[in-house]
Amino acid sequence: MNKNIGYDTSMLAYLKECRKDTGNRDVWSFLGKRMRRDGLYGDIDTLSRFLKSTGVKKGESVAICLPNIPNAIVAVYAANQIGAISNVVHPLVPPEGLKSILKEVGSKVLFIFDLFYEKHKRIIEELGVIAVVCSVKDYAGSIKSALLGVATRSKTKNIKYSPSLIEYKSAMKIGKDAEDIIDGGRGEDIAVYLHSGGTTGSPKTVMLSNRALNALADTTKAILGGEVTEEDSMLMAIPLFHGFGLGVCMHTTLAASGRMVMMPAFNAKSACKLLKKEKISFISGVPTMYEKMMAEKLFDGEHLKYLKQCYCGGDKLPETTKAKFDAILEKAGNPITLSEGYGLTEVVSVCAVNTDSSRARSVGKGLSGVKFKIVSESGEETDNGEVGEILISTQARMSGYLNDPEATAEAMVTDESGEVWIRTGDLGYMDSDGYLYFKDRKKRLVKISGVNVFPKEIEELVEAMPEVRFAAALEVKINQKSAIKLLVVMNKGYNFSPLIEESILRRISQNLMKYSTPRIIEARESLPLTEIGKVDYKKLAIEEEIK
């Protein structure tokens, strides 16, 4: 970290300090148009004055329910400048879900996507929030804006604007004439609310401070690999409501003086076109994102030589996915490999990255300033190689769960020296060189005849087979005893058969203890997925229970 830059400041002040010596570079590319740094700062100042004029005070929240469009970036930092908290919400949230979040958090202003306004209209009017309607047209190039206007007119023409329902551009006009803002944010002030499953699996609102987000940016800047040039860019396909998108794709990229190449929604073919057109330097994604891009003919080509680093998180990276990606990059003459990371919302996002291909099953070592320890059920530290719960110590930790002191106390523990540790609810182990190995979620651990069975271990083995696209191992009861049921989705060109079932059973029996062998194997057309492409085990368990 630059010795002159500390964490005890707002996200925006930290960003400005980081970037002050690198000139007026581009900050994003979006639908044919780029924005320079001075333009971003100017828009942040204008929007922060608008927010102040609505009566939003320090410590109050502003809801940002938007896809990856520039308005969302401006809104996060504008709220930050007046000491408000960005309540970042999934843009596809159903109306009742949005209502619940707005009521819990008490947001006074809501940034809403124009195409989704109608479905939320009743909730917005009922709660009486000030809604700022945002569009992809607000920051797109003139030709793109005209085309988008024609394409979206039928869905937005009935919006009736009023003093409490304002177009984004009108909000910016109001902000131009409002009084100036003095940024007084401090490190421990809460900057962002993210909505997570929590380390125990139940829904939680994670409170992230300026300190946590600035610390994350500081530690992850280093893994971008040396100096970030004016031409370097990050493909921003992970959404802002995910810590990976907010903390790494946005805040880290800007702090490192890189440029975000923004995608409102991930599409594999469009992503491949952007790789070529924008000469992308960095990708931070999830396994399904890489798999979908590699399935496109456009992915392979000369443009891959511009990639400097590629990271994968959000879910366990299948060995087959990594091997295929690395082979394609090698063919293109690029020596980099796909690096797997580990993290969770409670530490903003990533806290470990594996850059050593010889340790394929590891999620790597902790980033600078990050420490891990593995503890047993009784809370004692385990020996190297012994599985236990993963605990993390980092400056990029949450401040707690909103309105849930009991869950906060359970997730955050302070040791005898006063050091704070986050209990992850994940099981894993460390080797003698400090590399971390993830096994499974603690809540997914299955005990069969007193033996620990890790569903993730079964899934990884089966998904490595060329015939299998997805696998999900679930605990079931047979004659009142625990057993494993395995659900599989076949890859294109393969049909489930007794022969494939036999191959699956043989592979598991050859690699794992007999207790891991499924008693039932069932083929499915699909499995429910979360917003970022992980198998949704909670939804799957409900579906199985209904059956």
Side-chain angles (χ1 to χ4, degrees), residues 19-94:
R19 297 192 60 148
K20 69 179 184 180
D21 297 327
T22 53
N24 190 26
R25 292 184 179 181
D26 290 334
V27 291
W28 69 57
S29 299
F30 180 72
L31 297 179
K33 188 175 181 180
R34 294 192 179 193
M35 170 69 84
R36 303 287 277 184
R37 184 182 311 170
D38 287 353
L40 170 63
Y41 292 162
D43 280 6
I44 290 170
D45 287 344
T46 300
L47 192 61
S48 66
R49 291 196 294 269
F50 163 77
L51 288 173
K52 192 75 172 180
S53 74
T54 67
V56 177
K57 297 181 175 59
K58 181 174 181 178
E60 294 180 336
S61 73
V62 172
I64 301 169
C65 188
L66 297 172
N68 280 358
I69 59 177
N71 313 59
I73 307 296
V74 177
V76 168
Y77 287 110
N80 188 251
Q81 182 160 235
I82 66 170
I85 302 165
S86 293
N87 174 24
V88 187
V89 184
H90 192 315
L92 297 180
V93 64

Side-chain angles (χ1 to χ4, degrees), residues 31-325:
L31 297 179
K33 188 175 181 180
R34 294 192 179 193
M35 170 69 84
R36 303 287 277 184
R37 184 182 311 170
D38 287 353
L40 170 63
Y41 292 162
D43 280 6
I44 290 170
D45 287 344
T46 300
L47 192 61
S48 66
R49 291 196 294 269
F50 163 77
L51 288 173
K52 192 75 172 180
S53 74
T54 67
V56 177
K57 297 181 175 59
K58 181 174 181 178
E60 294 180 336
S61 73
V62 172
I64 301 169
C65 188
L66 297 172
N68 280 358
I69 59 177
N71 313 59
I73 307 296
V74 177
V76 168
Y77 287 110
N80 188 251
Q81 182 160 235
I82 66 170
I85 302 165
S86 293
N87 174 24
V88 187
V89 184
H90 192 315
L92 297 180
V93 64
E96 289 302 318
L98 179 60
K99 178 181 178 180
S100 176
I101 290 171
L102 293 179
K103 286 182 71 175
E104 179 198 12
V105 174
S107 298
K108 292 185 174 182
V109 175
L110 166 68
F111 288 86
I112 191 78
F113 194 42
D114 59 354
L115 297 182
F116 301 152
Y117 168 73
E118 283 298 328
K119 76 173 184 178
H120 294 301
K121 179 180 177 181
R122 177 181 60 83
I123 297 301
I124 291 170
E125 292 175 350
E126 181 182 331
L127 295 180
V129 297
I130 295 172
V132 180
V133 180
C134 303
S135 169
V136 290
K137 304 190 299 292
D138 294 333
Y139 283 98
S142 56
I143 296 176
K144 288 278 189 180
S145 291
L147 293 173
L148 289 165
V150 173
T152 62
R153 189 171 298 145
S154 63
K155 294 182 179 180
T156 60
K157 65 180 181 180
N158 294 324
I159 300 177
K160 305 299 182 184
Y161 293 101
S162 68
S164 61
L165 183 64
I166 308 167
E167 279 188 288
Y168 180 81
K169 289 184 176 180
S170 296
M172 296 295 278
K173 288 179 182 177
I174 293 170
K176 285 186 182 297
D177 298 324
E179 62 182 77
D180 286 337
I181 303 299
I182 298 174
D183 184 345
R186 307 303 299 168
E188 295 307 318
D189 293 341
I190 304 302
V192 172
Y193 290 144
L194 289 183
H195 304 280
S196 158
T199 60
T200 59
S202 57
K204 302 284 191 302
T205 296
V206 177
M207 300 186 292
L208 298 173
S209 65
N210 288 300
R211 178 258 307 152
L213 285 148
N214 292 339
L216 175 87
D218 204 57
T219 55
T220 53
K221 276 190 296 181
I223 66 173
L224 296 182
E227 182 184 357
V228 175
T229 72
E230 190 167 0
E231 298 304 314
D232 286 336
S233 59
M234 170 75 76
L235 180 64
M236 189 172 182
I238 300 292
L240 279 183
F241 66 79
H242 191 280
F244 216 164
L246 181 85
V248 176
C249 295
M250 184 190 78
H251 197 47
T252 296
T253 300
L254 290 176
S257 294
R259 169 171 52 91
M260 300 172 288
V261 177
M262 303 182 70
M263 296 190 72
F266 176 73
N267 173 276
K269 183 175 286 188
S270 298
C272 292
K273 289 180 179 178
L274 286 173
L275 286 180
K276 186 173 184 178
K277 179 182 178 182
E278 298 285 350
K279 298 181 175 61
I280 300 291
S281 316
F282 310 109
I283 306 176
S284 292
V286 295
T288 52
M289 192 177 111
Y290 286 105
E291 289 161 5
K292 288 177 180 178
M293 284 196 296
M294 287 189 292
E296 297 289 336
K297 292 181 181 179
L298 290 170
F299 179 72
D300 199 357
E302 284 284 312
H303 54 277
L304 295 180
K305 67 183 180 182
Y306 294 103
L307 288 172
K308 291 184 174 182
Q309 300 288 341
C310 294
Y311 302 101
C312 187
D315 200 2
K316 185 67 179 173
L317 173 64
E319 290 182 36
T320 50
T321 302
K322 174 176 167 55
K324 183 178 179 181
F325 183 91

